[in-house]
């Protein structure tokens, strides 16, 4: 089974946006499971199978390398294009297919789109594999050797695309340097120009030359151990360096070739290639084959030995890097790079303590629960917007020209995806979608996010359509949400293990009333915090039917009024508005909700905390957090959900209230600048800046 990952892009078209969708990747079950569980993964190229070695050595080496990586505690992800589909993680049958296949295209960056569009088979080079590794967010890539500047490159301009790709990929490439058929000195200079960090691995700073341990050139840096290399990679991510790292591992001494023998063989092979007019990407496989023949097969043995050794080193680095990410020494995930500044002030302690009474639990990354996936329960649907190009919409049956855009929607789905991206895959969604095209579209946006059993056979996936005028104001909304009734208690019980391990459960108002009440009752018994997002004023009161207290709710003013009216219908103020009204209404909900996050759109948020005084009423405190108004906005539909997810992500990271709000604002800003409801990558500031706020109570 393979699962698709949708990579979205947007282009301007007329007055609106045209969304372009492509199913960029499929993952093997093994790789998908590793991504959803947060296990270390190592990317592998496939040209070594199709162009680097003859059969059967190519298959034996590929299988051996994958076995080594598994034995070291990581998951191998060999990358290739199969019948036009960029695939991350190959089965044994697919490896055998590539090992025997003829006419497989050697696919660098420039070749990925043509090979995919034509439905061909392609073996990814270092550059091509780096593209896939970045799309799949795999931080470590193992290969034999990277490409470089060819000899006489200053005249021919023959420079491998590997070097350029290393300058724009975040991955660490574990290799044995570059082959001595290349100009190693110029290659190192080119890597420096591209901003690539080059490190020799081990006790020496000598840069290796693939078949031999020495090249006569020094690496700019040295990393002595896998743990050190992992810290280097983590530091590069924390600094948001959008360039790669080369970890150059010398071939084991017992397998290294004699420098004079290999240099003579390479010189003769290069002369023969020049005489035959062989150039470009065909040079390397020709030279390798010629050198293997000239050395009686010894160069092939060396090639096989060094790639296996590189696999051991790369797997060790991936495991160590994964440990750093799990303990949050640098960043809580791979998409966000802010440093943790835990405030031990009284205000910070009060914030977290206030969320630990009945129905709540401590939320600290030092506790195992905080590293478990958050569970979101509620609606998922496909959002379609139709932006009319004309100034006026006439509801008289006439046709209006418009631009249509499509993206994933549903409050629980949006929050689950945002948390999945912010927390490095640590989020799950319990919802209901059909087995139709819309359902396949939603399941492909975030691989592994949906729990088993959420796809209902023969059903129609919920959809929402918004008719917008030329100014972007919604004039009419249409919803087909009947399938949300399938988010049942029985489905919750099927995944009770996920619920019980989750550090917090997110509920939205789209879930059926009985399911919401059941989940709140169970969470109350197990002292688990619940975060409720009302979705609209008519569904906002669902959380109150249980009569139990929950940790968080994030209503807007309209939803807050509806909730207060449900609790005390005869106590609503007649002429109070603004901040005073919000405080009055929030106090009315003090026995039901500990922390109210009242969203005010462009005015910011008010955080109201109702601390239980255990029989002596509630102590209510409130702060207003203003937000900077943005002049340029791409899409508003997912900003509120991303704010709530960013805020909750801060709570799970044990940050104080202002920092949680700051992360929420940053996440919302990313959403406002994205054509998706949830941006495919959150680009956050490199430090948490506490939001300015005004104490109201």
């Amino acid at each position: 089974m393979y699962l698709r990952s949708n990579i979205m892009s947007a282009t301007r078209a007329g007055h609106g946006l045209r969304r372009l969708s492509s199913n960029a990747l499929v993952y093997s079950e093994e790789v998908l499971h590793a991504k959803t569980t947060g296990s270390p993964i190592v990317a592998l190229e496939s040209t070594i199978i199709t162009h680097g070695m003859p059969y059967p050595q190519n298959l034996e080496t590929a299988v051996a390398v994958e076995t080594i990586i598994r034995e070291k505690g990581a998951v191998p992800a060999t990358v290739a294009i199969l019948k036009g589909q960029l695939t991350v993680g190959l089965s044994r049958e697919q490896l055998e297919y590539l090992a025997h296949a003829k006419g497989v295209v050697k696919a660098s960056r420039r070749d990925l789109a043509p090979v995919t569009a034509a439905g061909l088979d392609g073996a990814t080079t270092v550059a091509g594999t780096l593209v896939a590794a970045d799309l799949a967010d795999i931080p470590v890539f193992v290969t034999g050797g990277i490409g470089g500047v060819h000899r006489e490159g200053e005249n021919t301009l023959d420079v491998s695309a590997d070097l350029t790709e290393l300058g724009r990929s975040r991955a660490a490439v574990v290799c044995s340097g570059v082959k001595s058929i290349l100009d190693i000195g110029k290659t190192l200079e080119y890597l420096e120009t591209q901003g690539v960090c080059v490190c020799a691995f081990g006790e020496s700073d000598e840069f290796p030359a693939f078949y031999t341990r020495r090249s006569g050139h020094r690496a700019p840096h040295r990393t002595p151990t896998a743990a050190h290399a992992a810290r280097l990679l983590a530091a590069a991510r924390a600094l948001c360096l959008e360039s790669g790292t080369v970890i150059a591992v010398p071939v084991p001494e017992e397998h290294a070739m004699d420098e004079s023998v290999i240099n003579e063989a390479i010189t003769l092979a290069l002369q023969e290639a020049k005489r035959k007019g062989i150039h470009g990407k065909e040079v390397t496989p020709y030279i390798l084959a010629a050198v293997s023949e000239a050395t009686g097969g010894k160069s092939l043995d060396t090639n096989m030995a060094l790639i296996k050794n590189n696999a051991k080193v790369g797997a060790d680095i991936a495991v160590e890097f994964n440990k750093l990410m799990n303990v949050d020494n640098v960043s809580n995930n791979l998409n966000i790079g802010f440093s943790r500044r835990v405030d031990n002030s009284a205000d910070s302690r009060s914030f977290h303590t206030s969320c630990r009474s009945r129905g709540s639990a401590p939320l600290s990354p030092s506790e195992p629960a905080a590293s478990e996936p958050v569970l979101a329960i509620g609606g998922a649907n496909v959002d379609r917007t139709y932006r009319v190009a004309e100034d006026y919409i006439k509801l008289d049956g006439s046709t209006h020209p418009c631009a249509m855009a499509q993206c994933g929607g549903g409050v629980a789905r949006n929050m689950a995806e945002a948390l999945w991206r912010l927390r490095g895959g640590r989020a799950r969604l319990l919802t209901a979608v059909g087995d139709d095209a819309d359902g396949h579209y939603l399941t492909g946006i975030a691989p592994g996010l949906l729990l088993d059993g959420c796809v209902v056979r023969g059903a129609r996936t919920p959809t929402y359509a918004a008719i917008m005028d030329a100014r972007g104001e919604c004039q009419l909304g249409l919803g087909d949400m009947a399938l949300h009734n399938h988010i049942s208690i029985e489905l919750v019980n099927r995944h009770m293990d996920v619920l019980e391990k989750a550090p917090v459960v997110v509920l939205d108002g789209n879930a059926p009333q009985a399911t919401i009440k059941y989940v709140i009752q169970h969470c109350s018994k197990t002292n688990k915090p619940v975060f409720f997002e009302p979705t609209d004023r008519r569904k906002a009161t669902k959380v109150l039917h249980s009569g139990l207290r929950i940790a968080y709710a994030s209503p807007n003013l309209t939803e807050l009024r509806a909730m207060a009216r449900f609790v005390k219908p005869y106590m609503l103020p007649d002429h109070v508005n603004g901040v005073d009204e919000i405080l009055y209404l929030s106090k009315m909900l003090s026995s039901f909700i500990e922390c109210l996050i009242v969203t005010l759109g462009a005015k910011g948020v008010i955080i109201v905390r109702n601390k239980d005084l255990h029989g002596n009423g509630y102590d209510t405190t409130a702060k207003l957090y203003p937000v900077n108004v943005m002049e340029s906005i791409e899409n508003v539909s997912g900003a509120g959900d991303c704010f709530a997810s960013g805020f909750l992500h801060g709570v799970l990271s044990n940050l104080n209230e202002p920092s949680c709000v700051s992360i929420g604002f940053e996440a919302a800003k990313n959403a406002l600048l994205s054509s998706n409801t949830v941006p495919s990558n959150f680009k956050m500031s490199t430090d948490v800046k506490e939001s300015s706020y005004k104490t109201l109570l």
Side-chain angles (χ1 to χ4, degrees), residues 44-62 78-82 90 93-108 120-126 129 281-282 284-286 288-289 300 303:
L44 299 166
E45 59 152 300
S46 48
T47 51
I48 195 171
I49 303 172
T50 58
H51 295 77
M53 297 181 184
Y55 181 83
Q57 289 91 341
N58 56 353
L59 179 60
E60 293 170 357
T61 302
T78 302
V79 177
I81 303 174
L82 300 176
L90 303 184
E93 291 75 17
Q94 289 169 328
L95 290 174
E96 290 181 353
Y97 169 75
L98 283 179
H100 289 92
K102 304 296 182 183
V104 177
V105 179
K106 189 175 182 182
S108 185
L120 301 175
D121 294 327
T124 53
T125 64
V126 169
T129 308
K281 64 181 181 180
E282 304 302 326
T284 298
Y286 175 83
L288 292 178
L300 180 58
N303 196 350

Side-chain angles (χ1 to χ4, degrees), residues 505-578:
V505 173
V506 174
L507 280 169
D508 81 2
N510 290 311
Q513 177 66 73
T515 303
I516 291 176
K517 183 176 181 179
Y518 178 77
V519 171
I520 292 174
Q521 288 174 337
H522 185 85
C523 290
S524 179
K525 292 176 183 177
T526 57
N527 201 38
K528 186 178 298 296
V530 171
F531 190 110
F532 178 69
E533 222 300 333
T535 69
D536 68 40
R537 62 177 179 81
R538 290 169 295 181
K539 301 173 183 178
T541 61
K542 286 184 176 182
V543 72
L544 304 172
H545 286 267
S546 69
L548 297 172
R549 201 163 190 245
I550 65 169
Y552 306 94
S554 56
N556 59 28
L557 182 54
T558 301
E559 293 159 353
L560 181 67
R561 287 169 176 159
M563 296 167 79
R565 185 178 295 110
F566 177 86
V567 174
K568 297 180 179 180
Y570 304 108
M571 295 183 62
L572 291 182
D574 293 327
H575 304 291
V576 180
N577 52 40

Side-chain angles (χ1 to χ4, degrees), residues 52-53 210-211 251 255-257 261-262 265-266 287-306:
M53 297 181 184
F210 196 75
Y211 296 115
V251 60
H255 296 289
M257 295 193 66
V261 172
I262 194 67
I266 288 173
I287 298 298
L288 292 178
V291 169
S292 177
E293 182 179 356
T295 59
K298 189 174 184 339
S299 65
L300 180 58
D301 294 338
T302 299
N303 196 350
M304 295 168 65
L306 67 85

Side-chain angles (χ1 to χ4, degrees), residues 380-388 393 402-410 438 461-469 473-481 484 637 677:
N381 52 264
V382 174
D383 282 353
R384 295 186 176 93
T385 59
Y386 300 84
R387 189 163 182 172
V388 176
I393 298 175
C402 72
M404 192 276 279
Q406 173 179 301
C407 58
D438 284 342
T461 297
T463 57
Y464 171 78
I467 311 301
M468 320 287 285
D469 62 21
E473 298 293 333
C474 183
Q475 298 298 315
L476 180 66
L478 302 171
D480 179 4
M481 307 291 181
H484 289 159
S637 60
T677 48

